[in-house]
Amino acid sequence: MYFIGVGPGDSELITLKALKIISTSDVIIYAGSLINQEILNYSKNDAEKFDSSRMNLEEIIQIIEENWKKRRKISRLHPGDPSLYGAIYEQAKELDKRGIEYEVIPGVSSLFGAVSRLKLEFTPPQVSQTLIITRLEGKTAVPEKEKLSYLASHQSSMAIFLSVHMIEKVVQELRAGGYSDNTPVCVVYKATWKDEKIIKGRLENIAELVKKEGVDKFSIIFVGNFLEPYGEYSKLYDKNFSHSFRRKQA
Protein backbone atom coordinates (compact mmCIF):
# COMPACT_ATOMS: atom_id res chain seq x y z
CA MET A 1 0.00 0.00 0.00
CA TYR A 2 1.47 3.36 -1.09
CA PHE A 3 0.48 6.98 -0.58
CA ILE A 4 1.95 8.76 -3.60
CA GLY A 5 2.37 12.45 -4.33
CA VAL A 6 1.89 12.80 -8.08
CA GLY A 7 2.92 16.42 -8.49
CA PRO A 8 1.19 19.74 -9.14
CA GLY A 9 -0.37 19.03 -12.53
CA ASP A 10 2.14 18.40 -15.29
CA SER A 11 2.02 14.61 -15.74
CA GLU A 12 5.81 14.50 -16.14
CA LEU A 13 6.43 16.08 -12.74
CA ILE A 14 6.38 12.82 -10.80
CA THR A 15 9.31 10.92 -9.39
CA LEU A 16 10.79 7.83 -10.97
CA LYS A 17 9.82 5.87 -7.86
CA ALA A 18 6.21 7.01 -8.13
CA LEU A 19 6.12 6.08 -11.81
CA LYS A 20 7.49 2.61 -11.08
CA ILE A 21 4.93 1.93 -8.34
CA ILE A 22 1.95 3.27 -10.30
CA SER A 23 2.88 1.22 -13.37
CA THR A 24 2.90 -2.00 -11.35
CA SER A 25 -0.12 -1.40 -9.09
CA ASP A 26 -3.21 -3.59 -9.19
CA VAL A 27 -5.47 -0.96 -7.60
CA ILE A 28 -5.30 2.82 -7.95
CA ILE A 29 -7.34 5.20 -5.80
CA TYR A 30 -7.02 8.78 -7.01
CA ALA A 31 -8.42 12.20 -6.15
CA GLY A 32 -10.20 12.76 -9.45
CA SER A 33 -11.10 16.37 -8.75
CA LEU A 34 -7.50 17.35 -8.05
CA ILE A 35 -4.97 15.34 -10.04
CA ASN A 36 -4.21 15.34 -13.74
CA GLN A 37 -5.77 12.10 -14.90
CA GLU A 38 -3.15 11.74 -17.63
CA ILE A 39 -1.14 10.19 -14.80
CA LEU A 40 -3.48 7.21 -14.92
CA ASN A 41 -2.01 6.44 -18.34
CA TYR A 42 1.08 5.19 -16.50
CA SER A 43 -0.95 2.37 -14.93
CA LYS A 44 -1.16 -1.11 -16.39
CA ASN A 45 -4.19 -1.93 -18.52
CA ASP A 46 -5.87 -4.24 -16.03
CA ALA A 47 -5.40 -2.00 -12.98
CA GLU A 48 -8.65 -1.33 -11.12
CA LYS A 49 -9.23 2.41 -10.61
CA PHE A 50 -11.37 4.24 -8.06
CA ASP A 51 -12.08 8.00 -8.02
CA SER A 52 -12.14 9.09 -4.38
CA SER A 53 -13.58 12.56 -5.05
CA ARG A 54 -17.10 11.41 -4.08
CA MET A 55 -16.04 8.89 -1.43
CA ASN A 56 -15.82 9.27 2.34
CA LEU A 57 -13.02 7.99 4.56
CA GLU A 58 -14.77 4.72 5.42
CA GLU A 59 -15.34 3.89 1.74
CA ILE A 60 -11.70 4.58 0.86
CA ILE A 61 -10.42 2.43 3.71
CA GLN A 62 -12.81 -0.37 2.81
CA ILE A 63 -11.41 -0.55 -0.73
CA ILE A 64 -7.86 -0.56 0.60
CA GLU A 65 -8.58 -3.25 3.20
CA GLU A 66 -10.43 -5.55 0.79
CA ASN A 67 -7.65 -5.41 -1.78
CA TRP A 68 -4.85 -5.62 0.77
CA LYS A 69 -6.35 -8.89 2.03
CA LYS A 70 -6.17 -10.14 -1.56
CA ARG A 71 -2.45 -9.25 -1.56
CA ARG A 72 -2.95 -6.71 -4.33
CA LYS A 73 -0.60 -3.74 -4.76
CA ILE A 74 -2.44 -0.49 -3.99
CA SER A 75 -1.55 3.11 -4.91
CA ARG A 76 -3.38 6.00 -3.27
CA LEU A 77 -2.65 9.07 -5.42
CA HIS A 78 -2.60 12.56 -3.93
CA PRO A 79 -1.96 15.86 -5.73
CA GLY A 80 1.32 17.62 -5.10
CA ASP A 81 2.98 16.20 -2.01
CA PRO A 82 0.84 14.31 0.54
CA SER A 83 2.37 16.19 3.48
CA LEU A 84 0.80 19.54 2.55
CA TYR A 85 -2.98 19.66 3.10
CA GLY A 86 -3.08 16.04 1.98
CA ALA A 87 -5.28 14.54 4.74
CA ILE A 88 -3.24 11.35 4.82
CA TYR A 89 -2.95 11.26 8.61
CA GLU A 90 -6.52 10.07 9.14
CA GLN A 91 -6.14 7.45 6.41
CA ALA A 92 -2.85 6.26 7.89
CA LYS A 93 -4.36 5.95 11.38
CA GLU A 94 -7.17 3.77 10.03
CA LEU A 95 -4.64 1.56 8.26
CA ASP A 96 -2.62 1.29 11.48
CA LYS A 97 -5.74 0.03 13.28
CA ARG A 98 -6.05 -2.73 10.68
CA GLY A 99 -2.38 -3.65 10.63
CA ILE A 100 -2.02 -2.58 7.01
CA GLU A 101 1.53 -1.53 6.17
CA TYR A 102 2.07 1.47 3.93
CA GLU A 103 4.77 3.73 2.55
CA VAL A 104 4.61 7.44 1.66
CA ILE A 105 6.22 8.51 -1.62
CA PRO A 106 6.87 12.28 -1.70
CA GLY A 107 5.93 14.39 -4.69
CA VAL A 108 6.52 17.83 -6.17
CA SER A 109 4.22 20.17 -4.27
CA SER A 110 2.05 22.67 -6.12
CA LEU A 111 3.91 25.21 -3.98
CA PHE A 112 7.14 24.51 -5.83
CA GLY A 113 5.44 23.97 -9.14
CA ALA A 114 3.91 27.44 -8.85
CA VAL A 115 7.07 29.28 -7.83
CA SER A 116 8.98 27.55 -10.63
CA ARG A 117 6.56 29.11 -13.09
CA LEU A 118 7.41 32.51 -11.59
CA LYS A 119 11.14 31.70 -11.95
CA LEU A 120 11.77 32.95 -8.42
CA GLU A 121 13.03 31.75 -5.07
CA PHE A 122 11.33 32.31 -1.74
CA THR A 123 14.50 33.16 0.17
CA PRO A 124 16.59 35.80 -1.64
CA PRO A 125 19.33 37.30 0.53
CA GLN A 126 18.56 40.56 2.31
CA VAL A 127 14.88 40.17 1.35
CA SER A 128 13.50 37.13 3.17
CA GLN A 129 14.94 34.00 4.68
CA THR A 130 11.62 32.60 5.88
CA LEU A 131 8.64 31.14 4.07
CA ILE A 132 5.29 30.84 5.82
CA ILE A 133 2.90 28.27 4.34
CA THR A 134 -0.63 28.74 5.60
CA ARG A 135 -4.29 29.24 4.73
CA LEU A 136 -7.12 31.50 5.79
CA GLU A 137 -9.61 30.05 8.23
CA GLY A 138 -12.90 29.07 6.61
CA LYS A 139 -15.17 26.11 7.30
CA THR A 140 -12.15 24.56 8.97
CA ALA A 141 -10.62 26.67 11.73
CA VAL A 142 -6.93 27.39 12.24
CA PRO A 143 -5.14 27.57 15.61
CA GLU A 144 -5.48 30.98 17.26
CA LYS A 145 -1.76 31.72 16.96
CA GLU A 146 -1.88 30.97 13.24
CA LYS A 147 -4.37 33.66 12.26
CA LEU A 148 -3.35 35.16 8.95
CA SER A 149 -3.08 38.68 10.36
CA TYR A 150 -0.63 37.46 13.01
CA LEU A 151 1.52 35.53 10.56
CA ALA A 152 1.52 38.51 8.20
CA SER A 153 3.15 40.62 10.92
CA HIS A 154 6.43 38.76 10.29
CA GLN A 155 6.63 40.30 6.79
CA SER A 156 8.31 37.16 5.43
CA SER A 157 7.57 35.39 2.16
CA MET A 158 4.10 33.86 2.30
CA ALA A 159 2.28 31.12 0.41
CA ILE A 160 -1.43 30.98 1.16
CA PHE A 161 -3.32 27.83 0.16
CA LEU A 162 -7.06 27.09 -0.06
CA SER A 163 -8.10 30.73 0.27
CA VAL A 164 -8.46 32.37 -3.13
CA HIS A 165 -12.27 32.12 -2.95
CA MET A 166 -12.00 34.47 0.06
CA ILE A 167 -9.51 36.85 -1.55
CA GLU A 168 -11.11 39.99 -0.08
CA LYS A 169 -10.79 38.54 3.42
CA VAL A 170 -7.18 37.55 2.68
CA VAL A 171 -6.41 41.14 1.70
CA GLN A 172 -8.11 42.41 4.87
CA GLU A 173 -6.05 40.09 7.09
CA LEU A 174 -2.78 40.93 5.33
CA ARG A 175 -3.44 44.64 5.81
CA ALA A 176 -4.23 44.04 9.48
CA GLY A 177 -0.89 42.28 9.77
CA GLY A 178 1.01 45.29 8.50
CA TYR A 179 1.42 44.76 4.77
CA SER A 180 1.05 47.97 2.77
CA ASP A 181 -1.23 48.32 -0.23
CA ASN A 182 1.90 48.41 -2.42
CA THR A 183 2.97 44.91 -1.36
CA PRO A 184 3.43 42.63 -4.40
CA VAL A 185 0.98 39.72 -4.59
CA CYS A 186 0.76 36.94 -7.15
CA VAL A 187 -1.90 34.27 -7.59
CA VAL A 188 -1.01 31.12 -9.51
CA TYR A 189 -4.00 29.10 -10.68
CA LYS A 190 -3.46 25.41 -11.57
CA ALA A 191 0.32 25.64 -11.64
CA THR A 192 1.93 23.57 -14.44
CA TRP A 193 -1.46 22.58 -15.91
CA LYS A 194 -2.27 23.46 -19.52
CA ASP A 195 -4.84 26.03 -18.36
CA GLU A 196 -2.55 27.65 -15.80
CA LYS A 197 -3.07 31.34 -15.03
CA ILE A 198 -0.66 33.75 -13.35
CA ILE A 199 -2.22 36.90 -11.90
CA LYS A 200 0.20 39.59 -10.70
CA GLY A 201 -0.78 42.67 -8.76
CA ARG A 202 -0.50 44.55 -5.50
CA LEU A 203 -2.40 44.16 -2.27
CA GLU A 204 -4.54 47.13 -3.28
CA ASN A 205 -5.83 45.52 -6.51
CA ILE A 206 -5.24 41.75 -6.37
CA ALA A 207 -8.84 40.99 -5.30
CA GLU A 208 -10.20 42.87 -8.28
CA LEU A 209 -7.78 41.13 -10.67
CA VAL A 210 -8.62 37.68 -9.31
CA LYS A 211 -12.35 38.29 -9.59
CA LYS A 212 -11.90 39.56 -13.15
CA GLU A 213 -10.17 36.29 -14.10
CA GLY A 214 -12.93 34.24 -12.47
CA VAL A 215 -10.47 32.33 -10.29
CA ASP A 216 -11.97 30.85 -7.11
CA LYS A 217 -10.11 27.56 -6.53
CA PHE A 218 -6.96 25.55 -7.32
CA SER A 219 -4.69 28.50 -6.55
CA ILE A 220 -1.84 29.62 -4.32
CA ILE A 221 -1.55 33.23 -3.21
CA PHE A 222 2.05 34.45 -2.91
CA VAL A 223 2.80 37.56 -0.88
CA GLY A 224 6.05 39.39 -0.20
CA ASN A 225 8.99 41.29 -1.58
CA PHE A 226 10.56 38.14 -3.00
CA LEU A 227 8.16 38.73 -5.90
CA GLU A 228 10.07 41.94 -6.79
CA PRO A 229 13.49 42.29 -8.45
CA TYR A 230 16.23 42.62 -5.86
CA GLY A 231 19.81 43.84 -6.22
CA GLU A 232 22.14 42.02 -3.88
CA TYR A 233 23.42 38.57 -4.85
CA SER A 234 24.06 35.81 -2.34
CA LYS A 235 27.56 35.04 -1.02
CA LEU A 236 27.42 31.45 -2.25
CA TYR A 237 29.23 32.09 -5.55
CA ASP A 238 30.90 35.39 -4.64
CA LYS A 239 34.60 35.21 -5.53
CA ASN A 240 35.36 37.31 -2.45
CA PHE A 241 33.64 34.89 -0.08
CA SER A 242 35.22 31.74 1.35
CA HIS A 243 33.51 28.56 2.49
CA SER A 244 34.56 24.97 3.19
CA PHE A 245 34.72 24.07 -0.52
CA ARG A 246 36.19 27.26 -1.99
CA ARG A 247 38.74 29.84 -0.93
CA LYS A 248 38.41 33.57 -1.53
CA GLN A 249 40.35 34.63 -4.60
CA ALA A 250 43.36 36.81 -3.95
Side-chain angles (χ1 to χ4, degrees):
M1 163 64 203
Y2 298 90
F3 291 103
I4 302 177
V6 294
D10 185 335
S11 61
E12 293 183 341
L13 285 176
I14 67 171
T15 66
L16 291 173
K17 187 167 187 177
L19 179 61
K20 181 179 178 181
I21 294 170
I22 292 170
S23 65
T24 56
S25 288
D26 303 303
V27 175
I28 296 177
I29 307 170
Y30 64 98
S33 59
L34 298 172
I35 74 166
N36 184 349
Q37 294 185 37
E38 290 179 7
I39 291 168
L40 300 179
N41 294 334
Y42 298 136
S43 65
K44 58 185 184 179
N45 291 334
D46 61 347
E48 194 170 4
K49 302 178 183 70
F50 299 90
D51 182 354
S52 66
S53 60
R54 298 184 183 278
M55 298 165 62
N56 59 41
L57 177 61
E58 289 74 18
E59 290 169 330
I60 293 169
I61 298 302
Q62 182 179 358
I63 291 171
I64 293 173
E65 184 174 23
E66 288 175 355
N67 284 281
W68 179 78
K69 288 178 177 179
K70 296 175 183 177
R71 304 183 64 84
R72 304 180 80 193
K73 189 173 185 178
I74 306 161
S75 287
R76 172 70 168 114
L77 309 187
H78 283 265
D81 181 273
S83 67
L84 273 179
Y85 305 108
I88 67 166
Y89 178 77
E90 59 209 50
Q91 298 174 71
K93 292 300 289 183
E94 290 300 316
L95 298 184
D96 288 340
K97 292 177 184 178
R98 293 160 173 79
I100 298 174
E101 296 181 355
Y102 54 88
E103 184 177 345
V104 179
I105 309 300
V108 178
S109 169
S110 58
L111 172 68
F112 302 115
V115 80
S116 76
R117 302 298 294 155
L118 300 178
K119 302 177 182 178
L120 295 173
E121 63 177 283
F122 292 117
T123 53
Q126 309 304 317
V127 176
S128 176
Q129 294 291 284
T130 301
L131 169 64
I132 293 177
I133 304 168
T134 190
R135 66 172 181 81
L136 185 66
E137 63 179 343
K139 291 182 179 179
T140 304
V142 300
E144 185 64 32
K145 292 183 179 180
E146 295 181 15
K147 299 289 186 182
L148 188 56
S149 58
Y150 174 73
L151 297 178
S153 68
H154 295 287
Q155 304 287 289
S156 64
S157 304
M158 297 191 76
I160 306 170
F161 280 70
L162 305 171
S163 304
V164 74
H165 62 295
M166 300 181 286
I167 187 66
E168 293 97 341
K169 178 66 172 176
V170 170
V171 170
Q172 179 183 336
E173 290 292 305
L174 292 173
R175 282 174 171 153
Y179 280 111
S180 72
D181 279 351
N182 196 45
T183 302
V185 182
C186 183
V187 173
V188 182
Y189 167 79
K190 296 188 76 171
T192 79
W193 290 69
K194 293 176 182 177
D195 55 346
E196 169 190 276
K197 288 183 181 181
I198 296 175
I199 306 168
K200 295 182 179 181
R202 303 278 173 178
L203 196 60
E204 63 185 355
N205 67 353
I206 193 64
E208 177 185 350
L209 295 173
V210 166
K211 294 293 184 181
K212 184 178 180 180
E213 290 293 334
V215 169
D216 62 1
K217 59 174 73 71
F218 306 136
S219 300
I220 303 176
I221 305 167
F222 292 122
V223 184
N225 289 326
F226 77 97
L227 295 166
E228 298 263 84
Y230 47 89
E232 186 169 342
Y233 292 173
S234 76
K235 299 297 184 181
L236 183 59
Y237 302 112
D238 188 337
K239 66 181 180 181
N240 297 313
F241 183 76
S242 297
H243 56 63
S244 59
F245 292 95
R246 190 189 68 234
R247 294 297 177 189
K248 181 172 69 173
Q249 295 182 13

